[in-house]
Amino acid sequence: MSRTFLVLVSILVVLGAGHHAYKHIKAKLQSSMTETAIVASSRNTVVVYGRDGCGYTRQMLASLQGRNIPVTYVDIDRPGASQAFHDRFDGSGLADHRGYALPVVEVDGEVHARPSPDVVAYHFQTRD
């Protein structure tokens, strides 16, 4: 094998390892941030728990963002977020026999399953 080929292979191996490390660190940071969002709600943001593939979740996010209401979105399909979501809300009465009606939305400590965007906006704008 030529020396140039070996150098190119070595470079590809180093780049691959660096990319793998980057993805691992990024996933850890995102998981950590998501778990923090689930544990700590804030008066200054609406926390929306949902799924990217859920039309109701997308509608809620678009409506709130269109009204310039600050939103923290938690994708419950992420492994760390899913477990934290269930740990927090199982037994809360939000789920029925089919599961949770997404999105689950938290405004100033109050949690609602699939509320209308108008109701969420009203609660956020009139919070004490």
PDB file of all heavy atoms in Angstrom, residues 103-117:
ATOM      1  N   PRO A 103     -50.382  17.687  23.208  1.00  0.00           N
ATOM      2  CA  PRO A 103     -49.275  17.910  24.119  1.00  0.00           C
ATOM      3  C   PRO A 103     -49.754  18.089  25.559  1.00  0.00           C
ATOM      4  O   PRO A 103     -50.893  18.481  25.807  1.00  0.00           O
ATOM      5  CB  PRO A 103     -48.653  19.205  23.614  1.00  0.00           C
ATOM      6  CG  PRO A 103     -49.811  19.966  23.047  1.00  0.00           C
ATOM      7  CD  PRO A 103     -50.716  18.903  22.447  1.00  0.00           C
ATOM      8  N   VAL A 104     -48.852  17.791  26.480  1.00  0.00           N
ATOM      9  CA  VAL A 104     -49.062  18.144  27.876  1.00  0.00           C
ATOM     10  C   VAL A 104     -48.344  19.475  28.049  1.00  0.00           C
ATOM     11  O   VAL A 104     -47.181  19.620  27.678  1.00  0.00           O
ATOM     12  CB  VAL A 104     -48.502  17.064  28.818  1.00  0.00           C
ATOM     13  CG1 VAL A 104     -48.528  17.536  30.258  1.00  0.00           C
ATOM     14  CG2 VAL A 104     -49.293  15.762  28.655  1.00  0.00           C
ATOM     15  N   VAL A 105     -49.056  20.453  28.579  1.00  0.00           N
ATOM     16  CA  VAL A 105     -48.532  21.817  28.640  1.00  0.00           C
ATOM     17  C   VAL A 105     -48.527  22.302  30.084  1.00  0.00           C
ATOM     18  O   VAL A 105     -49.510  22.119  30.806  1.00  0.00           O
ATOM     19  CB  VAL A 105     -49.386  22.768  27.765  1.00  0.00           C
ATOM     20  CG1 VAL A 105     -48.859  24.181  27.827  1.00  0.00           C
ATOM     21  CG2 VAL A 105     -49.419  22.268  26.322  1.00  0.00           C
ATOM     22  N   GLU A 106     -47.417  22.930  30.473  1.00  0.00           N
ATOM     23  CA  GLU A 106     -47.304  23.485  31.815  1.00  0.00           C
ATOM     24  C   GLU A 106     -47.123  24.992  31.727  1.00  0.00           C
ATOM     25  O   GLU A 106     -46.230  25.483  31.036  1.00  0.00           O
ATOM     26  CB  GLU A 106     -46.113  22.860  32.541  1.00  0.00           C
ATOM     27  CG  GLU A 106     -45.975  23.325  33.967  1.00  0.00           C
ATOM     28  CD  GLU A 106     -44.920  22.565  34.738  1.00  0.00           C
ATOM     29  OE1 GLU A 106     -44.238  21.701  34.152  1.00  0.00           O
ATOM     30  OE2 GLU A 106     -44.765  22.853  35.931  1.00  0.00           O
ATOM     31  N   VAL A 107     -48.016  25.698  32.442  1.00  0.00           N
ATOM     32  CA  VAL A 107     -47.941  27.154  32.521  1.00  0.00           C
ATOM     33  C   VAL A 107     -47.929  27.528  33.996  1.00  0.00           C
ATOM     34  O   VAL A 107     -48.906  27.264  34.703  1.00  0.00           O
ATOM     35  CB  VAL A 107     -49.138  27.838  31.825  1.00  0.00           C
ATOM     36  CG1 VAL A 107     -49.029  29.352  31.928  1.00  0.00           C
ATOM     37  CG2 VAL A 107     -49.254  27.403  30.381  1.00  0.00           C
ATOM     38  N   ASP A 108     -46.823  28.100  34.438  1.00  0.00           N
ATOM     39  CA  ASP A 108     -46.711  28.588  35.816  1.00  0.00           C
ATOM     40  C   ASP A 108     -47.116  27.523  36.839  1.00  0.00           C
ATOM     41  O   ASP A 108     -47.856  27.791  37.776  1.00  0.00           O
ATOM     42  CB  ASP A 108     -47.549  29.858  35.979  1.00  0.00           C
ATOM     43  CG  ASP A 108     -47.185  30.639  37.239  1.00  0.00           C
ATOM     44  OD1 ASP A 108     -46.047  30.492  37.736  1.00  0.00           O
ATOM     45  OD2 ASP A 108     -48.041  31.387  37.729  1.00  0.00           O
ATOM     46  N   GLY A 109     -46.657  26.289  36.627  1.00  0.00           N
ATOM     47  CA  GLY A 109     -46.917  25.209  37.574  1.00  0.00           C
ATOM     48  C   GLY A 109     -48.204  24.448  37.345  1.00  0.00           C
ATOM     49  O   GLY A 109     -48.411  23.393  37.940  1.00  0.00           O
ATOM     50  N   GLU A 110     -49.096  24.947  36.505  1.00  0.00           N
ATOM     51  CA  GLU A 110     -50.340  24.249  36.187  1.00  0.00           C
ATOM     52  C   GLU A 110     -50.128  23.404  34.937  1.00  0.00           C
ATOM     53  O   GLU A 110     -49.619  23.898  33.934  1.00  0.00           O
ATOM     54  CB  GLU A 110     -51.481  25.230  35.938  1.00  0.00           C
ATOM     55  CG  GLU A 110     -52.014  25.873  37.181  1.00  0.00           C
ATOM     56  CD  GLU A 110     -53.288  26.652  36.895  1.00  0.00           C
ATOM     57  OE1 GLU A 110     -54.135  26.172  36.104  1.00  0.00           O
ATOM     58  OE2 GLU A 110     -53.414  27.750  37.444  1.00  0.00           O
ATOM     59  N   VAL A 111     -50.573  22.142  34.998  1.00  0.00           N
ATOM     60  CA  VAL A 111     -50.357  21.210  33.894  1.00  0.00           C
ATOM     61  C   VAL A 111     -51.699  20.808  33.300  1.00  0.00           C
ATOM     62  O   VAL A 111     -52.647  20.507  34.032  1.00  0.00           O
ATOM     63  CB  VAL A 111     -49.598  19.957  34.390  1.00  0.00           C
ATOM     64  CG1 VAL A 111     -49.342  19.001  33.253  1.00  0.00           C
ATOM     65  CG2 VAL A 111     -48.286  20.358  35.059  1.00  0.00           C
ATOM     66  N   HIS A 112     -51.759  20.814  31.958  1.00  0.00           N
ATOM     67  CA  HIS A 112     -52.984  20.455  31.239  1.00  0.00           C
ATOM     68  C   HIS A 112     -52.641  19.534  30.075  1.00  0.00           C
ATOM     69  O   HIS A 112     -51.618  19.714  29.418  1.00  0.00           O
ATOM     70  CB  HIS A 112     -53.678  21.710  30.686  1.00  0.00           C
ATOM     71  CG  HIS A 112     -53.969  22.729  31.730  1.00  0.00           C
ATOM     72  ND1 HIS A 112     -55.069  22.675  32.531  1.00  0.00           N
ATOM     73  CD2 HIS A 112     -53.262  23.822  32.135  1.00  0.00           C
ATOM     74  CE1 HIS A 112     -55.058  23.698  33.373  1.00  0.00           C
ATOM     75  NE2 HIS A 112     -53.960  24.411  33.147  1.00  0.00           N
ATOM     76  N   ALA A 113     -53.522  18.572  29.817  1.00  0.00           N
ATOM     77  CA  ALA A 113     -53.364  17.688  28.664  1.00  0.00           C
ATOM     78  C   ALA A 113     -54.178  18.243  27.500  1.00  0.00           C
ATOM     79  O   ALA A 113     -55.369  18.511  27.643  1.00  0.00           O
ATOM     80  CB  ALA A 113     -53.821  16.275  29.002  1.00  0.00           C
ATOM     81  N   ARG A 114     -53.521  18.426  26.393  1.00  0.00           N
ATOM     82  CA  ARG A 114     -54.083  18.931  25.144  1.00  0.00           C
ATOM     83  C   ARG A 114     -55.030  20.120  25.309  1.00  0.00           C
ATOM     84  O   ARG A 114     -56.184  20.097  24.836  1.00  0.00           O
ATOM     85  CB  ARG A 114     -54.767  17.830  24.356  1.00  0.00           C
ATOM     86  CG  ARG A 114     -54.978  18.269  22.893  1.00  0.00           C
ATOM     87  CD  ARG A 114     -55.659  17.227  22.054  1.00  0.00           C
ATOM     88  NE  ARG A 114     -54.761  16.129  21.831  1.00  0.00           N
ATOM     89  CZ  ARG A 114     -55.137  14.912  21.449  1.00  0.00           C
ATOM     90  NH1 ARG A 114     -56.405  14.668  21.238  1.00  0.00           N
ATOM     91  NH2 ARG A 114     -54.260  13.962  21.278  1.00  0.00           N
ATOM     92  N   PRO A 115     -54.561  21.187  25.948  1.00  0.00           N
ATOM     93  CA  PRO A 115     -55.399  22.391  26.013  1.00  0.00           C
ATOM     94  C   PRO A 115     -55.367  23.108  24.668  1.00  0.00           C
ATOM     95  O   PRO A 115     -54.503  22.837  23.832  1.00  0.00           O
ATOM     96  CB  PRO A 115     -54.711  23.231  27.091  1.00  0.00           C
ATOM     97  CG  PRO A 115     -53.271  22.851  26.961  1.00  0.00           C
ATOM     98  CD  PRO A 115     -53.281  21.388  26.604  1.00  0.00           C
ATOM     99  N   SER A 116     -56.268  24.033  24.464  1.00  0.00           N
ATOM    100  CA  SER A 116     -56.226  24.815  23.224  1.00  0.00           C
ATOM    101  C   SER A 116     -55.117  25.866  23.352  1.00  0.00           C
ATOM    102  O   SER A 116     -54.822  26.336  24.455  1.00  0.00           O
ATOM    103  CB  SER A 116     -57.567  25.496  22.963  1.00  0.00           C
ATOM    104  OG  SER A 116     -57.704  26.627  23.787  1.00  0.00           O
ATOM    105  N   PRO A 117     -54.507  26.230  22.237  1.00  0.00           N
ATOM    106  CA  PRO A 117     -53.486  27.281  22.282  1.00  0.00           C
ATOM    107  C   PRO A 117     -54.013  28.588  22.864  1.00  0.00           C
ATOM    108  O   PRO A 117     -53.289  29.301  23.558  1.00  0.00           O
ATOM    109  CB  PRO A 117     -53.078  27.449  20.818  1.00  0.00           C
ATOM    110  CG  PRO A 117     -53.363  26.118  20.199  1.00  0.00           C
ATOM    111  CD  PRO A 117     -54.607  25.633  20.901  1.00  0.00           C
TER     112      PRO A 117
END
